[in-house]
Amino acid sequence: LYLQKSASPTSFRLTEKFILLLVFSAFITLCFGAIFFLPDSSKLLSGVFFHSSAVETNTHTGPDSSDAGSAGNDDRLLAKIKKDHEKALLEAKDTLQKLPDVIQNDILADKAKVTKESMGKGGKDGNNLPFIEYHRPPGATGLEPQDPETRERRAKIKEMMKHAWDSYKRYAWGSNELRPVSKQGHSSNLFGSIKGATIVDALDTLYIMEMFEEFDAATDWVEKSLDFNVNAEVSVFEVNIRFVGGLLSAYYLSGKEVFRRKAVELGEKLLPAFKTPTGIPWALLNLKSGIGRNWPWASGGSSILAEYGTLHLEFMHLSRLSGNPEFAQKVMNIRKVLNRLEKPQGLYPNYLNPNSGQWGQHHVSVGGLGDSFYEYLLKAWLMSDKTDEEGKKMYYDALQAIETNLMRKSTNGLTYIAEWKGGLLEHKMGHLTCFAGGMIALGADGAPGDKTGHQMEQAAEIARTCHESYARTSK
């Protein structure tokens, strides 16, 4: 994919600048000559081309205006034209006398000036976003694996993606998802009346797989049809990971400003969710009214760990791309609340009351209701180029508590992560917990002390358990 930058008004080559100066000089000369040869031409030029204050005064003074006044205006106008003509000739002469390097520096200076002037108040553009120099990430596309078997698998996965995408486009374009049996589009109420979840969520996949024709069609839909001005209640968590995350990924891969603009627009609409006594966000938010609430089934109206704990990555990037520190402040405050709380056995319960700032039911799970909170702690540290020491400590402390209190081995030798309710273990592991194998492996390199090898073994054992759950399930 070739990305074309819009041409700057000052990005002329030397020859083009010289030609423009000559054309401008000829035009001034023509106008100057017309004053003397065309009948009543000064009035014609005054009325059509020049709307100076002197001309406007002359034409609005009514029947009492004198011819002497008009003559005076014409003389001033002629003098101005002559002056402009002489100035243009001098500029052309000066330019021709400059060395090519000097002219090139002048052009670059003009470009910088125009860029600065085109930015709005506070150094921001017309969308109130700061200017950011885009750097395309290396290695996202254009690479081919050397191993023939890997190439074959890669091609098969792309073939599957194309099949899914073509079917979605044919039967459910613009809907949030496709129902494969009925071949009809469906829009989950998790997204209110926002449409296109599949389109936005797939943008990065389309780009990485080099499905650029499909990516361009999706980009066009985002630009023309993606609308967040809805009077509807949405899941803050789902909208963040699907829409905000999808838009941010697409921006970083392609550099297209439409994705940055849409991501920040949606992020601003999600901010009212944090208007609680503790700053722990509501699970549900009406995007128009800004009124939030929690799921009624969630331990007396508590917020859920996996939901309010899965905003950090996107909101940190929203602050970077918008210049608005409020996004980062909101998610950093969540950490402050969690660090102040006493954690039972070092574990994080799944429910937290946003009004009182106290834990709800003491239910701990690394699967559903808790899973991505732990993942985001680790990835926040990695995303910060390993400078986020708070995120790092929270992750490895939590992992140690999980190993001590929840990680067990079955009688036939399978490692699993149990759930914890009020001090009692439930010896079951949900399917969503299977992500933990990859998470622990990802963080093993940064493990404290000599635990890197130990954590890699844990990761492999959990992955083996999840593999066995498939292998032992009847088809």
Side-chain angles (χ1 to χ4, degrees):
L1 176 66
Y2 295 96
L3 301 176
Q4 295 181 344
K5 295 183 179 179
S6 59
S8 169
T10 58
S11 58
F12 299 121
R13 291 186 294 237
L14 175 59
T15 54
E16 293 172 334
K17 188 168 184 180
F18 177 64
I19 291 171
L20 284 174
L21 287 171
L22 288 181
V23 171
F24 179 70
S25 176
F27 176 75
I28 294 297
T29 303
L30 178 63
C31 293
F32 187 72
I35 299 299
F36 298 98
F37 296 105
L38 290 178
D40 208 20
S41 57
S42 61
K43 293 182 180 178
L44 174 66
L45 290 171
S46 299
V48 177
F49 295 105
F50 303 99
H51 296 283
S52 66
S53 58
V55 173
E56 290 173 354
T57 302
N58 183 50
T59 56
H60 289 91
T61 51
D64 296 332
S65 300
S66 65
D67 291 337
S70 297
N73 290 334
D74 291 342
D75 291 340
R76 285 192 295 271
L77 185 59
L78 289 172
K80 183 179 186 302
I81 293 173
K82 184 178 180 180
K83 183 179 180 181
D84 290 342
H85 175 65
E86 291 173 348
K87 182 180 178 182
L89 291 176
L90 285 173
E91 286 182 356
K93 183 178 179 180
D94 290 342
T95 300
L96 291 174
Q97 291 176 347
K98 291 181 179 180
L99 295 174
D101 290 343
V102 176
I103 295 174
Q104 183 65 28
N105 289 335
D106 289 345
I107 293 173
L108 293 175
D110 288 343
K111 288 175 68 175
K113 181 180 178 182
V114 170
T115 300
K116 185 176 181 179
E117 290 176 350
S118 66
M119 295 164 67
K121 185 178 180 181
K124 299 186 177 183
D125 63 19
N127 298 307
N128 203 33
L129 296 178
F131 172 77
I132 292 180
E133 186 175 357
Y134 172 74
H135 297 283
R136 188 173 183 271
T141 58
L143 301 178
E144 188 76 20
Q146 297 297 318
D147 177 52
E149 185 179 15
T150 303
R151 284 202 303 269
E152 183 180 347
R153 289 175 175 176
R154 186 174 185 257
K156 186 63 178 180
I157 293 170
K158 184 174 178 178
E159 176 189 332
M160 294 165 66
M161 174 63 183
K162 183 164 177 56
H163 169 76
W165 180 263
D166 288 346
S167 296
Y168 167 76
K169 189 172 183 180
R170 179 178 179 182
Y171 298 111
W173 184 248
S175 297
N176 284 328
E177 56 195 30
L178 167 64
R179 286 175 165 166
V181 176
S182 64
K183 297 180 180 179
Q184 293 180 345
H186 174 66
S187 292
S188 168
N189 59 5
L190 290 173
F191 307 114
S193 52
I194 301 177
K195 305 296 184 185
T198 289
I199 295 174
V200 176
D201 206 14
L203 283 165
D204 53 355
T205 303
L206 293 171
Y207 193 93
I208 291 170
M209 289 187 172
E210 300 181 9
M211 297 172 64
F212 296 130
E213 183 178 337
E214 291 84 354
F215 179 82
D216 288 343
T219 301
D220 185 66
W221 186 91
V222 168
E223 191 152 22
K224 295 177 180 177
S225 303
L226 183 58
D227 183 16
F228 304 130
N229 295 311
V230 296
N231 183 13
E233 191 176 62
V234 304
S235 163
V236 175
F237 160 73
E238 291 288 351
V239 166
N240 177 64
I241 64 172
R242 310 295 177 190
F243 284 94
V244 178
L247 292 166
L248 290 173
S249 297
Y251 169 72
Y252 281 117
L253 285 168
S254 71
K256 291 183 179 293
E257 279 294 315
V258 61
F259 299 130
R260 178 167 74 129
R261 187 173 70 249
K262 290 284 187 178
V264 173
E265 177 191 348
L266 180 54
E268 289 172 346
K269 288 185 175 293
L270 295 178
L271 284 175
F274 293 84
K275 291 182 178 179
T276 65
T278 59
I280 298 296
W282 300 112
L284 302 168
L285 179 73
N286 185 295
L287 292 183
K288 183 176 182 180
S289 68
I291 296 175
R293 67 183 179 97
N294 277 334
W295 299 105
W297 50 264
S299 186
S302 292
S303 297
I304 297 169
L305 181 67
E307 295 193 342
Y308 67 78
T310 311
L311 303 170
H312 192 97
L313 299 181
E314 292 83 2
F315 273 60
M316 293 299 284
H317 277 285
L318 285 175
S319 273
R320 177 181 179 273
L321 296 180
S322 68
N324 180 2
E326 187 175 5
F327 296 108
Q329 290 166 358
K330 297 298 186 186
V331 290
M332 292 304 291
N333 177 68
I334 292 173
R335 286 188 181 179
K336 291 179 182 178
V337 174
L338 292 176
N339 284 330
R340 284 198 302 263
L341 286 168
E342 183 179 348
K343 288 165 277 294
Q345 307 298 319
L347 299 168
Y348 290 85
N350 291 336
Y351 301 109
L352 178 61
N353 190 296
N355 293 314
S356 67
Q358 298 299 314
W359 299 118
Q361 178 188 359
H362 281 197
H363 174 211
V364 178
S365 168
V366 182
L369 304 179
D371 49 9
S372 47
F373 163 70
Y374 305 99
E375 172 195 351
Y376 267 45
L377 289 176
L378 171 61
K379 290 182 176 178
W381 174 57
L382 296 175
M383 183 181 75
S384 72
D385 197 20
K386 299 184 177 180
T387 61
D388 182 1
E389 291 296 327
E390 181 181 60
K392 176 184 179 181
K393 184 178 188 309
M394 291 176 71
Y395 168 73
Y396 287 110
D397 286 354
L399 188 60
Q400 182 59 54
I402 289 167
E403 179 183 354
T404 302
N405 296 287
L406 305 181
M407 204 172 289
R408 297 290 185 267
K409 192 178 287 284
S410 69
T411 54
N412 55 0
L414 294 177
T415 299
Y416 64 96
I417 302 177
E419 296 188 10
W420 187 85
K421 288 188 176 180
L424 300 176
L425 279 184
E426 285 190 330
H427 294 275
K428 64 176 184 179
M429 185 172 85
H431 182 267
L432 287 178
T433 313
C434 287
F435 90 98
M439 177 186 73
I440 295 171
L442 180 63
D445 279 347
D450 57 352
K451 292 188 177 181
T452 294
H454 173 64
Q455 289 190 6
M456 283 301 297
E457 291 176 5
Q458 285 181 328
E461 287 299 310
I462 292 169
R464 185 169 79 91
T465 298
C466 291
H467 170 78
E468 288 298 318
S469 72
Y470 281 94
R472 299 185 187 187
T473 300
S474 59
K475 296 181 181 179

Coordinates of all heavy atoms in Angstrom, one line a residue, residues 167-233:
S167 N -18.0 -13.0 3.1 CA -19.4 -13.3 3.5 C -20.0 -12.2 4.4 O -21.2 -11.9 4.2 CB -19.3 -14.6 4.3 OG -18.9 -15.7 3.5
Y168 N -19.2 -11.6 5.3 CA -19.7 -10.5 6.1 C -20.1 -9.4 5.1 O -21.2 -8.8 5.3 CB -18.7 -10.0 7.1 CG -19.0 -8.7 7.7 CD1 -20.0 -8.6 8.7 CD2 -18.4 -7.6 7.3 CE1 -20.3 -7.4 9.2 CE2 -18.7 -6.3 7.8 CZ -19.7 -6.2 8.8 OH -20.0 -5.0 9.3
K169 N -19.3 -9.1 4.2 CA -19.5 -7.9 3.3 C -20.8 -8.2 2.4 O -21.6 -7.3 2.2 CB -18.3 -7.7 2.4 CG -18.4 -6.4 1.5 CD -17.1 -6.1 0.8 CE -17.3 -4.8 0.1 NZ -16.0 -4.5 -0.7
R170 N -21.0 -9.5 2.1 CA -22.1 -9.8 1.2 C -23.4 -9.8 2.0 O -24.4 -9.3 1.5 CB -21.9 -11.2 0.6 CG -23.0 -11.7 -0.3 CD -22.7 -13.0 -0.9 NE -23.8 -13.5 -1.7 CZ -23.8 -14.7 -2.4 NH1 -22.8 -15.5 -2.2 NH2 -24.9 -15.1 -3.1
Y171 N -23.4 -10.3 3.2 CA -24.7 -10.5 3.9 C -25.0 -9.5 5.1 O -26.1 -9.4 5.5 CB -24.7 -12.0 4.5 CG -24.7 -13.0 3.5 CD1 -23.6 -13.9 3.4 CD2 -25.8 -13.3 2.6 CE1 -23.5 -14.9 2.4 CE2 -25.7 -14.3 1.7 CZ -24.6 -15.1 1.6 OH -24.5 -16.1 0.6
A172 N -23.9 -8.9 5.6 CA -24.1 -8.1 6.8 C -23.4 -6.8 6.8 O -23.1 -6.3 7.9 CB -23.8 -9.0 8.0
W173 N -23.0 -6.3 5.7 CA -22.1 -5.1 5.6 C -22.7 -3.9 6.5 O -23.8 -3.6 6.3 CB -21.9 -4.6 4.2 CG -21.0 -3.5 4.0 CD1 -21.3 -2.2 3.6 CD2 -19.6 -3.5 4.2 NE1 -20.2 -1.5 3.6 CE2 -19.1 -2.2 3.9 CE3 -18.6 -4.5 4.6 CZ2 -17.7 -1.9 4.0 CZ3 -17.3 -4.1 4.7 CH2 -16.9 -2.8 4.4
G174 N -21.9 -3.4 7.4 CA -22.3 -2.3 8.2 C -22.9 -2.8 9.6 O -23.0 -2.0 10.5
S175 N -23.4 -4.0 9.7 CA -23.9 -4.6 10.9 C -22.7 -4.9 11.8 O -21.5 -4.9 11.4 CB -24.7 -5.8 10.7 OG -25.9 -5.5 9.9
N176 N -23.0 -5.1 13.1 CA -21.9 -5.5 14.0 C -21.4 -6.9 13.8 O -20.2 -7.1 14.1 CB -22.4 -5.3 15.5 CG -22.5 -3.8 15.8 OD1 -21.7 -3.0 15.4 ND2 -23.5 -3.5 16.7
E177 N -22.3 -7.8 13.4 CA -21.8 -9.2 13.2 C -22.7 -9.9 12.2 O -23.8 -9.4 11.8 CB -21.8 -9.9 14.5 CG -23.1 -9.9 15.2 CD -23.0 -10.3 16.7 OE1 -21.9 -10.1 17.3 OE2 -24.0 -10.9 17.2
L178 N -22.2 -11.0 11.7 CA -23.0 -11.9 10.8 C -23.4 -13.2 11.5 O -22.6 -13.8 12.1 CB -22.1 -12.2 9.6 CG -22.6 -13.3 8.7 CD1 -23.9 -12.9 8.0 CD2 -21.6 -13.7 7.6
R179 N -24.7 -13.5 11.4 CA -25.2 -14.8 11.9 C -25.0 -15.8 10.7 O -25.7 -15.7 9.7 CB -26.6 -14.7 12.3 CG -26.8 -13.9 13.6 CD -28.3 -13.7 14.0 NE -28.4 -13.3 15.4 CZ -29.5 -12.8 15.9 NH1 -30.6 -12.6 15.1 NH2 -29.5 -12.5 17.2
P180 N -24.1 -16.7 10.9 CA -23.7 -17.6 9.7 C -24.8 -18.5 9.2 O -24.8 -18.9 8.1 CB -22.5 -18.3 10.2 CG -22.6 -18.3 11.7 CD -23.3 -17.0 12.1
V181 N -25.7 -18.9 10.1 CA -26.7 -19.9 9.7 C -27.8 -19.2 8.9 O -28.2 -19.6 7.8 CB -27.3 -20.7 10.9 CG1 -28.4 -21.6 10.5 CG2 -26.2 -21.5 11.6
S182 N -28.3 -18.1 9.5 CA -29.4 -17.4 8.8 C -28.9 -16.4 7.7 O -29.6 -15.9 6.9 CB -30.2 -16.6 9.8 OG -29.4 -15.6 10.4
K183 N -27.6 -16.2 7.7 CA -26.9 -15.3 6.8 C -27.5 -13.9 6.9 O -27.8 -13.2 5.9 CB -27.0 -15.8 5.4 CG -26.3 -17.1 5.2 CD -26.4 -17.6 3.7 CE -25.7 -18.9 3.6 NZ -25.8 -19.5 2.2
Q184 N -27.7 -13.4 8.1 CA -28.3 -12.1 8.3 C -27.4 -11.3 9.3 O -26.7 -11.9 10.1 CB -29.7 -12.2 8.9 CG -30.7 -12.8 7.9 CD -32.1 -12.8 8.5 OE1 -32.2 -12.7 9.8 NE2 -33.1 -13.0 7.7
G185 N -27.4 -10.0 9.1 CA -26.6 -9.1 10.0 C -27.3 -9.0 11.4 O -28.5 -9.2 11.5
H186 N -26.5 -8.8 12.4 CA -27.1 -8.6 13.7 C -26.3 -7.6 14.4 O -25.1 -7.4 14.2 CB -26.9 -9.9 14.5 CG -27.3 -9.8 16.0 ND1 -28.6 -9.6 16.4 CD2 -26.6 -10.0 17.1 CE1 -28.7 -9.5 17.7 NE2 -27.4 -9.8 18.1
S187 N -26.9 -6.8 15.3 CA -26.2 -5.7 16.0 C -26.5 -5.9 17.5 O -27.6 -5.7 18.0 CB -26.7 -4.3 15.5 OG -26.3 -4.1 14.2
S188 N -25.4 -6.3 18.2 CA -25.6 -6.6 19.6 C -25.9 -5.3 20.4 O -25.4 -4.2 20.1 CB -24.3 -7.2 20.1 OG -24.2 -7.2 21.5
N189 N -26.7 -5.4 21.5 CA -27.0 -4.3 22.3 C -25.8 -3.8 23.1 O -25.9 -2.8 23.8 CB -28.2 -4.5 23.2 CG -28.0 -5.7 24.1 OD1 -26.9 -6.3 24.2 ND2 -29.1 -6.1 24.8
L190 N -24.7 -4.6 23.1 CA -23.5 -4.1 23.8 C -23.0 -2.8 23.2 O -22.3 -2.1 23.9 CB -22.4 -5.2 23.8 CG -22.7 -6.5 24.6 CD1 -21.6 -7.5 24.3 CD2 -22.7 -6.2 26.1
F191 N -23.3 -2.6 22.0 CA -22.8 -1.4 21.3 C -23.9 -0.4 21.0 O -23.7 0.5 20.3 CB -22.2 -1.8 19.9 CG -21.1 -2.9 20.0 CD1 -21.4 -4.2 19.5 CD2 -20.0 -2.7 20.7 CE1 -20.4 -5.2 19.6 CE2 -19.0 -3.7 20.8 CZ -19.2 -5.0 20.2
G192 N -25.0 -0.5 21.7 CA -26.1 0.4 21.5 C -26.5 0.4 20.1 O -26.8 -0.6 19.5
S193 N -26.6 1.6 19.5 CA -26.9 1.6 18.1 C -25.7 2.0 17.2 O -25.8 2.4 16.1 CB -28.0 2.6 17.8 OG -27.7 3.9 18.5
I194 N -24.5 1.9 17.8 CA -23.3 2.0 17.0 C -23.1 0.8 16.1 O -23.3 -0.3 16.5 CB -22.0 2.2 17.9 CG1 -22.1 3.4 18.8 CG2 -20.8 2.3 17.0 CD1 -21.0 3.5 19.8
K195 N -22.8 1.1 14.8 CA -22.7 0.0 13.9 C -21.3 -0.3 13.4 O -20.4 0.6 13.7 CB -23.5 0.3 12.6 CG -25.0 0.7 12.9 CD -25.8 -0.5 13.4 CE -27.2 -0.2 13.6 NZ -28.0 -1.3 14.3
G196 N -21.0 -1.4 12.8 CA -19.8 -1.7 12.1 C -18.7 -2.3 13.0 O -17.5 -2.1 12.7
A197 N -19.1 -3.0 14.1 CA -18.0 -3.5 15.0 C -17.1 -4.5 14.3 O -15.9 -4.4 14.5 CB -18.7 -4.2 16.2
T198 N -17.6 -5.3 13.4 CA -16.7 -6.2 12.7 C -15.8 -5.5 11.8 O -14.6 -5.8 11.7 CB -17.6 -7.2 11.8 OG1 -18.3 -8.1 12.7 CG2 -16.7 -8.0 10.9
I199 N -16.2 -4.4 11.1 CA -15.4 -3.6 10.2 C -14.2 -3.0 11.0 O -13.0 -3.2 10.6 CB -16.2 -2.5 9.5 CG1 -17.2 -3.1 8.6 CG2 -15.3 -1.6 8.8 CD1 -18.2 -2.1 8.0
V200 N -14.5 -2.4 12.1 CA -13.5 -1.7 12.9 C -12.5 -2.7 13.6 O -11.3 -2.5 13.6 CB -14.1 -0.7 13.9 CG1 -13.1 -0.1 14.8 CG2 -15.0 0.3 13.2
D201 N -13.1 -3.7 14.1 CA -12.3 -4.7 14.8 C -11.3 -5.5 13.9 O -10.3 -6.0 14.3 CB -13.2 -5.7 15.5 CG -12.6 -6.3 16.7 OD1 -11.5 -5.8 17.2 OD2 -13.1 -7.4 17.2
A202 N -11.7 -5.5 12.6 CA -10.9 -6.3 11.6 C -9.9 -5.4 10.9 O -9.1 -5.9 10.1 CB -11.8 -7.0 10.6
L203 N -9.9 -4.1 11.1 CA -9.0 -3.2 10.3 C -7.5 -3.6 10.4 O -6.8 -3.7 9.4 CB -9.2 -1.8 10.8 CG -10.4 -1.0 10.4 CD1 -10.6 0.2 11.2 CD2 -10.3 -0.7 8.9
D204 N -7.0 -3.9 11.6 CA -5.6 -4.2 11.7 C -5.3 -5.6 11.1 O -4.2 -5.7 10.5 CB -5.2 -4.2 13.2 CG -6.0 -5.0 14.1 OD1 -7.1 -5.6 13.6 OD2 -5.7 -5.1 15.3
T205 N -6.2 -6.5 11.2 CA -6.0 -7.8 10.6 C -5.9 -7.7 9.1 O -5.1 -8.3 8.4 CB -7.1 -8.8 11.0 OG1 -7.2 -8.9 12.4 CG2 -6.9 -10.2 10.4
L206 N -6.8 -6.9 8.5 CA -6.8 -6.7 7.0 C -5.5 -6.1 6.6 O -4.9 -6.5 5.6 CB -8.0 -5.8 6.6 CG -9.4 -6.4 6.8 CD1 -10.4 -5.3 6.6 CD2 -9.6 -7.6 5.9
Y207 N -5.0 -5.2 7.4 CA -3.8 -4.5 7.0 C -2.6 -5.4 7.1 O -1.8 -5.5 6.2 CB -3.6 -3.2 7.9 CG -2.5 -2.3 7.3 CD1 -2.8 -1.2 6.5 CD2 -1.2 -2.5 7.7 CE1 -1.8 -0.4 6.0 CE2 -0.2 -1.7 7.2 CZ -0.5 -0.6 6.4 OH 0.5 0.2 5.9
I208 N -2.5 -6.1 8.2 CA -1.3 -7.0 8.4 C -1.3 -8.1 7.4 O -0.3 -8.6 6.9 CB -1.3 -7.6 9.8 CG1 -1.1 -6.4 10.9 CG2 -0.3 -8.7 10.0 CD1 -1.3 -6.8 12.3
M209 N -2.5 -8.6 7.0 CA -2.6 -9.7 6.0 C -2.4 -9.1 4.6 O -2.6 -9.9 3.6 CB -3.9 -10.4 6.1 CG -4.0 -11.3 7.4 SD -5.5 -12.3 7.4 CE -5.2 -13.3 8.8
E210 N -2.2 -7.8 4.5 CA -2.0 -7.2 3.2 C -3.2 -7.3 2.3 O -3.1 -7.4 1.0 CB -0.8 -7.7 2.5 CG 0.5 -7.5 3.3 CD 1.8 -8.0 2.6 OE1 1.7 -8.3 1.4 OE2 2.8 -8.0 3.3
M211 N -4.4 -7.3 2.9 CA -5.7 -7.3 2.1 C -6.1 -5.8 1.9 O -7.1 -5.4 2.5 CB -6.7 -8.1 2.9 CG -6.4 -9.6 3.0 SD -7.5 -10.5 4.1 CE -9.1 -10.4 3.2
F212 N -5.3 -5.1 1.1 CA -5.4 -3.7 1.1 C -6.7 -3.2 0.4 O -7.2 -2.1 0.7 CB -4.2 -3.1 0.4 CG -2.9 -3.3 1.2 CD1 -1.8 -3.9 0.6 CD2 -2.8 -3.1 2.5 CE1 -0.6 -4.1 1.3 CE2 -1.7 -3.3 3.3 CZ -0.6 -3.8 2.6
E213 N -7.2 -4.0 -0.6 CA -8.4 -3.6 -1.2 C -9.6 -3.6 -0.2 O -10.4 -2.7 -0.1 CB -8.7 -4.5 -2.4 CG -10.0 -4.2 -3.1 CD -10.3 -5.1 -4.3 OE1 -9.3 -5.7 -4.8 OE2 -11.4 -5.2 -4.8
E214 N -9.6 -4.6 0.6 CA -10.6 -4.7 1.7 C -10.4 -3.7 2.8 O -11.4 -3.1 3.3 CB -10.6 -6.1 2.3 CG -11.1 -7.3 1.4 CD -10.0 -7.8 0.5 OE1 -8.9 -7.2 0.5 OE2 -10.2 -8.8 -0.2
F215 N -9.1 -3.4 3.1 CA -8.8 -2.4 4.1 C -9.3 -1.0 3.6 O -9.9 -0.2 4.4 CB -7.3 -2.4 4.3 CG -6.9 -1.3 5.3 CD1 -7.0 -1.5 6.7 CD2 -6.4 -0.1 4.9 CE1 -6.6 -0.5 7.6 CE2 -6.0 0.9 5.8 CZ -6.1 0.7 7.1
D216 N -9.1 -0.7 2.3 CA -9.5 0.6 1.8 C -11.0 0.7 1.8 O -11.6 1.8 2.1 CB -9.0 0.8 0.4 CG -7.5 1.0 0.3 OD1 -6.9 1.4 1.4 OD2 -6.9 0.8 -0.8
A217 N -11.8 -0.4 1.5 CA -13.2 -0.3 1.6 C -13.7 -0.1 3.0 O -14.7 0.6 3.3 CB -13.8 -1.6 1.0
A218 N -13.0 -0.8 4.0 CA -13.4 -0.6 5.4 C -13.1 0.8 5.8 O -13.9 1.4 6.6 CB -12.6 -1.6 6.2
T219 N -12.0 1.4 5.4 CA -11.6 2.8 5.7 C -12.6 3.7 5.2 O -13.0 4.7 5.9 CB -10.2 3.1 5.1 OG1 -9.2 2.2 5.6 CG2 -9.8 4.5 5.5
D220 N -13.1 3.5 4.0 CA -14.1 4.4 3.4 C -15.4 4.3 4.2 O -16.0 5.3 4.4 CB -14.4 3.9 2.0 CG -15.3 4.9 1.2 OD1 -15.0 6.0 1.0 OD2 -16.4 4.4 0.9
W221 N -15.8 3.1 4.7 CA -17.0 3.0 5.5 C -16.8 3.8 6.8 O -17.7 4.4 7.3 CB -17.3 1.5 5.8 CG -18.6 1.3 6.5 CD1 -19.8 1.1 5.9 CD2 -18.8 1.4 7.9 NE1 -20.8 1.1 6.9 CE2 -20.2 1.2 8.1 CE3 -18.0 1.6 9.0 CZ2 -20.8 1.2 9.4 CZ3 -18.6 1.6 10.3 CH2 -19.9 1.4 10.5
V222 N -15.6 3.6 7.4 CA -15.4 4.3 8.7 C -15.5 5.8 8.5 O -16.1 6.5 9.3 CB -14.0 4.0 9.2 CG1 -13.6 4.9 10.4 CG2 -13.9 2.5 9.7
E223 N -15.0 6.3 7.4 CA -15.0 7.8 7.2 C -16.4 8.3 6.9 O -16.7 9.4 7.4 CB -14.1 8.1 6.0 CG -13.8 9.6 5.8 CD -12.5 9.9 5.2 OE1 -11.9 9.0 4.5 OE2 -12.0 11.0 5.4
K224 N -17.2 7.5 6.2 CA -18.5 8.0 5.8 C -19.7 7.6 6.7 O -20.7 8.3 6.7 CB -18.8 7.6 4.3 CG -17.8 8.2 3.3 CD -18.1 7.6 1.9 CE -17.1 8.2 0.9 NZ -17.4 7.6 -0.5
S225 N -19.5 6.4 7.4 CA -20.7 5.9 8.0 C -20.6 5.6 9.5 O -21.6 5.4 10.2 CB -21.1 4.5 7.3 OG -21.3 4.7 5.9
L226 N -19.3 5.6 10.0 CA -19.2 5.3 11.5 C -19.6 6.5 12.3 O -19.0 7.6 12.2 CB -17.7 5.0 11.8 CG -17.4 4.6 13.2 CD1 -18.3 3.4 13.7 CD2 -15.9 4.3 13.4
D227 N -20.7 6.3 13.1 CA -21.3 7.5 13.8 C -21.4 7.1 15.3 O -22.0 6.1 15.6 CB -22.7 7.7 13.2 CG -23.4 8.9 13.8 OD1 -22.7 9.7 14.4 OD2 -24.6 9.1 13.6
F228 N -20.9 8.0 16.1 CA -21.0 7.8 17.5 C -22.0 8.8 18.2 O -22.2 8.7 19.4 CB -19.6 8.1 18.2 CG -18.5 7.2 17.6 CD1 -17.3 7.8 17.2 CD2 -18.7 5.9 17.5 CE1 -16.3 7.0 16.7 CE2 -17.7 5.1 17.0 CZ -16.5 5.6 16.6
N229 N -22.7 9.6 17.4 CA -23.7 10.5 17.9 C -25.0 9.8 18.0 O -26.0 9.9 17.2 CB -23.8 11.7 17.0 CG -22.6 12.5 17.0 OD1 -22.0 12.9 18.0 ND2 -22.1 12.8 15.8
V230 N -25.1 8.9 19.0 CA -26.3 8.0 19.2 C -26.8 8.2 20.6 O -26.1 8.5 21.6 CB -25.9 6.5 19.0 CG1 -25.5 6.3 17.5 CG2 -24.8 6.1 19.9
N231 N -28.1 8.1 20.7 CA -28.8 8.1 22.0 C -29.0 6.7 22.4 O -30.1 6.1 22.3 CB -30.1 8.9 21.9 CG -30.8 9.0 23.2 OD1 -30.3 8.8 24.3 ND2 -32.1 9.4 23.2
A232 N -28.0 6.1 23.0 CA -28.1 4.6 23.3 C -27.1 4.3 24.4 O -26.0 5.0 24.5 CB -27.8 3.8 22.0
E233 N -27.4 3.2 25.1 CA -26.5 2.8 26.2 C -25.6 1.7 25.6 O -26.0 0.8 24.9 CB -27.4 2.2 27.3 CG -26.6 1.9 28.6 CD -27.5 1.4 29.7 OE1 -28.1 0.4 29.5 OE2 -27.6 2.1 30.7

